[in-house]
Amino acid sequence: MEEVILVRYGEIGLKGRNRGFFLRHLERNLRARLADLGGEVENQFDRFVVRAPQDQEEAVARITRTFGVVSASPALLVPAELQAIEEAAVEAMRRALGNRTTATFRIRARRSNSRFPLRSVDLERHLGALLLQRFPGLAARMKDPEIEVGVEVREEAYVYTGTHPGPGGLPVGTGGRAVGLLSGGIDSPVALWMMARRGMEILPLHFHTFPFTSERSKEKVVRIVERLATWTGPLRLRVAPFAEVQQAIGRCVPEPLWTLVMRRMMMRVAERLAEAAGARALVTGENLGQVASQTVEALHVIEAATHLPVLRPLVGMDKQEIVTLAERIGTYELSILPYEDCCTLFVPRHPRTRPSLQEVEAAERVLPVEELVDRVVAGVEEIPSSQPTFVG
C-alpha cells in the first residue's frame, strides 16, 4: 500500500491534437513545484500521479496552486485486486474517522480497467457493506455525507477520502508571455493572476515614484509578487523609476490629462521591456467605469501608445467580484496596506473622461518622450521572487 497524490486536470482533457503540448507543460510545472520535495510525477492517461514526496501536505498545497490542475487527492495505491482494495478502503476510512466513532459516508467507484471483475456500482455496494461491518458507527448517506471514499480502478487502484480543489485553467507557459503592470492596489494583482491562469507567463512591472512614494510601497509590491508566485512559479519583478516622468507630466501637461499621459508613458516603457523579453502583450488591471477616468475613450487613448495588444481581464467585473477573487488568491490583505503608489499621486482634481487622442498627443509634444522612456528603461531594477511559502 503506497501513499501517492492523484492529480486531475480538466480543460486540457478537451484539447485535440495539441493536448500533448499542454500536458508536457503541466508535467514540467508540477516537477518544478515539487523538485525540492523529491516527488516523482507520472503521466497516467487523464491523471498525473505523484509518488513519494517528502512532505505530502506541502506537496498537495503546491499542486493545488498549479494552473491546469482541477483537483488533487492524497490516495492509497494498491494492486487492482479486490482484497487489496478492501484493505485500502478500511485504512482510508480509519484515517478519515480519526478519533470519531460515528459518521455518514458513501462510496464513489470508477472502473476503467475492464479486467477487474466487479462493475463500478457493484464495487460500491461491496465496499459499503464491508465498511458498515468494520465500523459499526457508520451510516450510509448518498447526499452530502461527511466522508466520501473514492475508488478508481485502473491498471492499479487508488483509494482516497479527500479531494482538494485546484485553480483549473491552463499551465503557465502555454499562453505566451506578457508584461503585467502591477500598481500594488487590489485590481492589478488579480488581473495578472487571471492571465497566468490562462497559461501566460507574466513579467510583472511596477512603476516606483521614490521619493514621492516610500520604500515600503515597493516592499509591498515585492510581497504581492511573492504571493502571486505561489500560483505561477518564480517571478521576476521589474521596478521602473518613474518619479522623473511624473514630475515632467506635472510641470508640462494640463492637469485634466495627467493620468492619461502617465498611463501612456507606462505603456511605452512596458512595450520597450516586452520587446526585450520576447513578450507579445501587456496586461493591466483597468476596468470599465470603476473610476471616472476609466471610460472607453480613455482606454482607447491609453492603448494607442503601444503597438502591443493590451489585455484587461477585469474590464467587465464589478469591484466586489474583484475583491472576492483577491481574497481568494491571497493578495487582498497586502493590497490594502496603506502605502501610496504612483497611481495615487498626481491625481487630477477633474480628470478628462471623454478625451480625444488628438488632444492628448498634442499635450505630449512638450515632453521629451523618448528620452524619458530611455532613462526609465535604463534604471529598471529586477527583483526575483523568493521561495514561496505554501503551508503554515
PDB file of all heavy atoms in Angstrom, residues 3-19:
ATOM      1  N   GLU A   3       1.516   5.428  -0.551  1.00  0.00           N
ATOM      2  CA  GLU A   3       0.842   6.726  -0.491  1.00  0.00           C
ATOM      3  C   GLU A   3       1.267   7.570  -1.678  1.00  0.00           C
ATOM      4  O   GLU A   3       2.464   7.793  -1.900  1.00  0.00           O
ATOM      5  CB  GLU A   3       1.172   7.427   0.821  1.00  0.00           C
ATOM      6  CG  GLU A   3       0.673   6.652   2.034  1.00  0.00           C
ATOM      7  CD  GLU A   3       0.604   7.509   3.275  1.00  0.00           C
ATOM      8  OE1 GLU A   3       0.565   8.738   3.145  1.00  0.00           O
ATOM      9  OE2 GLU A   3       0.578   6.939   4.372  1.00  0.00           O
ATOM     10  N   VAL A   4       0.298   8.039  -2.453  1.00  0.00           N
ATOM     11  CA  VAL A   4       0.568   8.863  -3.628  1.00  0.00           C
ATOM     12  C   VAL A   4      -0.404  10.036  -3.628  1.00  0.00           C
ATOM     13  O   VAL A   4      -1.281  10.145  -2.765  1.00  0.00           O
ATOM     14  CB  VAL A   4       0.400   8.050  -4.932  1.00  0.00           C
ATOM     15  CG1 VAL A   4       1.359   6.868  -4.965  1.00  0.00           C
ATOM     16  CG2 VAL A   4      -1.048   7.571  -5.093  1.00  0.00           C
ATOM     17  N   ILE A   5      -0.261  10.907  -4.604  1.00  0.00           N
ATOM     18  CA  ILE A   5      -1.219  12.007  -4.809  1.00  0.00           C
ATOM     19  C   ILE A   5      -1.762  11.889  -6.235  1.00  0.00           C
ATOM     20  O   ILE A   5      -0.986  11.862  -7.199  1.00  0.00           O
ATOM     21  CB  ILE A   5      -0.555  13.378  -4.595  1.00  0.00           C
ATOM     22  CG1 ILE A   5       0.048  13.459  -3.190  1.00  0.00           C
ATOM     23  CG2 ILE A   5      -1.572  14.497  -4.801  1.00  0.00           C
ATOM     24  CD1 ILE A   5       0.923  14.683  -2.972  1.00  0.00           C
ATOM     25  N   LEU A   6      -3.066  11.808  -6.335  1.00  0.00           N
ATOM     26  CA  LEU A   6      -3.740  11.698  -7.626  1.00  0.00           C
ATOM     27  C   LEU A   6      -4.098  13.112  -8.091  1.00  0.00           C
ATOM     28  O   LEU A   6      -4.796  13.844  -7.388  1.00  0.00           O
ATOM     29  CB  LEU A   6      -4.995  10.849  -7.467  1.00  0.00           C
ATOM     30  CG  LEU A   6      -5.599  10.159  -8.680  1.00  0.00           C
ATOM     31  CD1 LEU A   6      -4.585   9.278  -9.386  1.00  0.00           C
ATOM     32  CD2 LEU A   6      -6.823   9.352  -8.253  1.00  0.00           C
ATOM     33  N   VAL A   7      -3.612  13.513  -9.270  1.00  0.00           N
ATOM     34  CA  VAL A   7      -3.785  14.882  -9.756  1.00  0.00           C
ATOM     35  C   VAL A   7      -4.669  14.870 -11.000  1.00  0.00           C
ATOM     36  O   VAL A   7      -4.377  14.165 -11.965  1.00  0.00           O
ATOM     37  CB  VAL A   7      -2.417  15.526 -10.085  1.00  0.00           C
ATOM     38  CG1 VAL A   7      -2.608  16.975 -10.537  1.00  0.00           C
ATOM     39  CG2 VAL A   7      -1.492  15.456  -8.882  1.00  0.00           C
ATOM     40  N   ARG A   8      -5.729  15.687 -10.977  1.00  0.00           N
ATOM     41  CA  ARG A   8      -6.673  15.717 -12.102  1.00  0.00           C
ATOM     42  C   ARG A   8      -6.579  17.052 -12.834  1.00  0.00           C
ATOM     43  O   ARG A   8      -6.339  18.090 -12.216  1.00  0.00           O
ATOM     44  CB  ARG A   8      -8.108  15.520 -11.586  1.00  0.00           C
ATOM     45  CG  ARG A   8      -8.278  14.280 -10.717  1.00  0.00           C
ATOM     46  CD  ARG A   8      -9.678  14.204 -10.131  1.00  0.00           C
ATOM     47  NE  ARG A   8      -9.795  13.092  -9.197  1.00  0.00           N
ATOM     48  CZ  ARG A   8      -9.452  13.154  -7.916  1.00  0.00           C
ATOM     49  NH1 ARG A   8      -9.003  14.291  -7.412  1.00  0.00           N
ATOM     50  NH2 ARG A   8      -9.563  12.103  -7.134  1.00  0.00           N
ATOM     51  N   TYR A   9      -6.776  17.008 -14.121  1.00  0.00           N
ATOM     52  CA  TYR A   9      -6.855  18.229 -14.920  1.00  0.00           C
ATOM     53  C   TYR A   9      -8.167  18.224 -15.675  1.00  0.00           C
ATOM     54  O   TYR A   9      -8.783  17.177 -15.865  1.00  0.00           O
ATOM     55  CB  TYR A   9      -5.660  18.356 -15.859  1.00  0.00           C
ATOM     56  CG  TYR A   9      -5.367  17.137 -16.697  1.00  0.00           C
ATOM     57  CD1 TYR A   9      -6.052  16.896 -17.882  1.00  0.00           C
ATOM     58  CD2 TYR A   9      -4.402  16.220 -16.296  1.00  0.00           C
ATOM     59  CE1 TYR A   9      -5.778  15.783 -18.657  1.00  0.00           C
ATOM     60  CE2 TYR A   9      -4.142  15.097 -17.057  1.00  0.00           C
ATOM     61  CZ  TYR A   9      -4.829  14.877 -18.230  1.00  0.00           C
ATOM     62  OH  TYR A   9      -4.565  13.770 -18.990  1.00  0.00           O
ATOM     63  N   GLY A  10      -8.614  19.412 -16.108  1.00  0.00           N
ATOM     64  CA  GLY A  10      -9.929  19.488 -16.721  1.00  0.00           C
ATOM     65  C   GLY A  10      -9.905  19.945 -18.157  1.00  0.00           C
ATOM     66  O   GLY A  10     -10.026  19.153 -19.095  1.00  0.00           O
ATOM     67  N   GLU A  11      -9.719  21.244 -18.384  1.00  0.00           N
ATOM     68  CA  GLU A  11      -9.801  21.822 -19.723  1.00  0.00           C
ATOM     69  C   GLU A  11      -8.809  21.189 -20.684  1.00  0.00           C
ATOM     70  O   GLU A  11      -9.086  21.059 -21.876  1.00  0.00           O
ATOM     71  CB  GLU A  11      -9.582  23.334 -19.631  1.00  0.00           C
ATOM     72  CG  GLU A  11      -9.775  24.069 -20.936  1.00  0.00           C
ATOM     73  CD  GLU A  11      -9.649  25.577 -20.768  1.00  0.00           C
ATOM     74  OE1 GLU A  11      -9.676  26.062 -19.614  1.00  0.00           O
ATOM     75  OE2 GLU A  11      -9.528  26.276 -21.791  1.00  0.00           O
ATOM     76  N   ILE A  12      -7.657  20.798 -20.169  1.00  0.00           N
ATOM     77  CA  ILE A  12      -6.637  20.189 -21.033  1.00  0.00           C
ATOM     78  C   ILE A  12      -7.189  18.921 -21.679  1.00  0.00           C
ATOM     79  O   ILE A  12      -6.864  18.610 -22.838  1.00  0.00           O
ATOM     80  CB  ILE A  12      -5.374  19.863 -20.218  1.00  0.00           C
ATOM     81  CG1 ILE A  12      -4.751  21.150 -19.684  1.00  0.00           C
ATOM     82  CG2 ILE A  12      -4.365  19.097 -21.069  1.00  0.00           C
ATOM     83  CD1 ILE A  12      -3.593  20.917 -18.752  1.00  0.00           C
ATOM     84  N   GLY A  13      -8.044  18.210 -20.936  1.00  0.00           N
ATOM     85  CA  GLY A  13      -8.596  16.974 -21.464  1.00  0.00           C
ATOM     86  C   GLY A  13      -9.480  17.180 -22.675  1.00  0.00           C
ATOM     87  O   GLY A  13      -9.784  16.226 -23.409  1.00  0.00           O
ATOM     88  N   LEU A  14      -9.919  18.435 -22.907  1.00  0.00           N
ATOM     89  CA  LEU A  14     -10.766  18.728 -24.062  1.00  0.00           C
ATOM     90  C   LEU A  14      -9.957  19.080 -25.302  1.00  0.00           C
ATOM     91  O   LEU A  14     -10.539  19.251 -26.382  1.00  0.00           O
ATOM     92  CB  LEU A  14     -11.707  19.905 -23.726  1.00  0.00           C
ATOM     93  CG  LEU A  14     -12.602  19.710 -22.489  1.00  0.00           C
ATOM     94  CD1 LEU A  14     -13.395  20.972 -22.211  1.00  0.00           C
ATOM     95  CD2 LEU A  14     -13.534  18.515 -22.677  1.00  0.00           C
ATOM     96  N   LYS A  15      -8.643  19.207 -25.125  1.00  0.00           N
ATOM     97  CA  LYS A  15      -7.801  19.583 -26.269  1.00  0.00           C
ATOM     98  C   LYS A  15      -7.732  18.434 -27.269  1.00  0.00           C
ATOM     99  O   LYS A  15      -7.883  17.269 -26.930  1.00  0.00           O
ATOM    100  CB  LYS A  15      -6.395  19.952 -25.784  1.00  0.00           C
ATOM    101  CG  LYS A  15      -6.348  21.110 -24.801  1.00  0.00           C
ATOM    102  CD  LYS A  15      -6.788  22.400 -25.450  1.00  0.00           C
ATOM    103  CE  LYS A  15      -6.687  23.573 -24.465  1.00  0.00           C
ATOM    104  NZ  LYS A  15      -7.208  24.822 -25.048  1.00  0.00           N
ATOM    105  N   GLY A  16      -7.462  18.798 -28.492  1.00  0.00           N
ATOM    106  CA  GLY A  16      -7.365  17.790 -29.550  1.00  0.00           C
ATOM    107  C   GLY A  16      -5.928  17.363 -29.783  1.00  0.00           C
ATOM    108  O   GLY A  16      -5.269  16.845 -28.879  1.00  0.00           O
ATOM    109  N   ARG A  17      -5.432  17.625 -30.982  1.00  0.00           N
ATOM    110  CA  ARG A  17      -4.096  17.154 -31.334  1.00  0.00           C
ATOM    111  C   ARG A  17      -2.991  17.815 -30.523  1.00  0.00           C
ATOM    112  O   ARG A  17      -1.882  17.300 -30.441  1.00  0.00           O
ATOM    113  CB  ARG A  17      -3.845  17.397 -32.826  1.00  0.00           C
ATOM    114  CG  ARG A  17      -4.737  16.553 -33.731  1.00  0.00           C
ATOM    115  CD  ARG A  17      -4.442  16.837 -35.190  1.00  0.00           C
ATOM    116  NE  ARG A  17      -5.261  16.001 -36.070  1.00  0.00           N
ATOM    117  CZ  ARG A  17      -5.237  16.069 -37.382  1.00  0.00           C
ATOM    118  NH1 ARG A  17      -4.436  16.955 -37.978  1.00  0.00           N
ATOM    119  NH2 ARG A  17      -6.010  15.287 -38.103  1.00  0.00           N
ATOM    120  N   ASN A  18      -3.282  19.017 -29.989  1.00  0.00           N
ATOM    121  CA  ASN A  18      -2.241  19.705 -29.211  1.00  0.00           C
ATOM    122  C   ASN A  18      -2.335  19.407 -27.715  1.00  0.00           C
ATOM    123  O   ASN A  18      -1.717  20.079 -26.903  1.00  0.00           O
ATOM    124  CB  ASN A  18      -2.309  21.212 -29.441  1.00  0.00           C
ATOM    125  CG  ASN A  18      -3.669  21.789 -29.082  1.00  0.00           C
ATOM    126  OD1 ASN A  18      -4.610  21.040 -28.795  1.00  0.00           O
ATOM    127  ND2 ASN A  18      -3.789  23.103 -29.111  1.00  0.00           N
ATOM    128  N   ARG A  19      -3.089  18.390 -27.343  1.00  0.00           N
ATOM    129  CA  ARG A  19      -3.213  18.046 -25.928  1.00  0.00           C
ATOM    130  C   ARG A  19      -1.855  17.725 -25.306  1.00  0.00           C
ATOM    131  O   ARG A  19      -1.568  18.104 -24.172  1.00  0.00           O
ATOM    132  CB  ARG A  19      -4.145  16.850 -25.803  1.00  0.00           C
ATOM    133  CG  ARG A  19      -4.359  16.361 -24.390  1.00  0.00           C
ATOM    134  CD  ARG A  19      -5.392  15.266 -24.359  1.00  0.00           C
ATOM    135  NE  ARG A  19      -5.487  14.620 -23.075  1.00  0.00           N
ATOM    136  CZ  ARG A  19      -6.345  13.673 -22.780  1.00  0.00           C
ATOM    137  NH1 ARG A  19      -7.214  13.268 -23.694  1.00  0.00           N
ATOM    138  NH2 ARG A  19      -6.366  13.122 -21.589  1.00  0.00           N
TER     139      ARG A  19
END
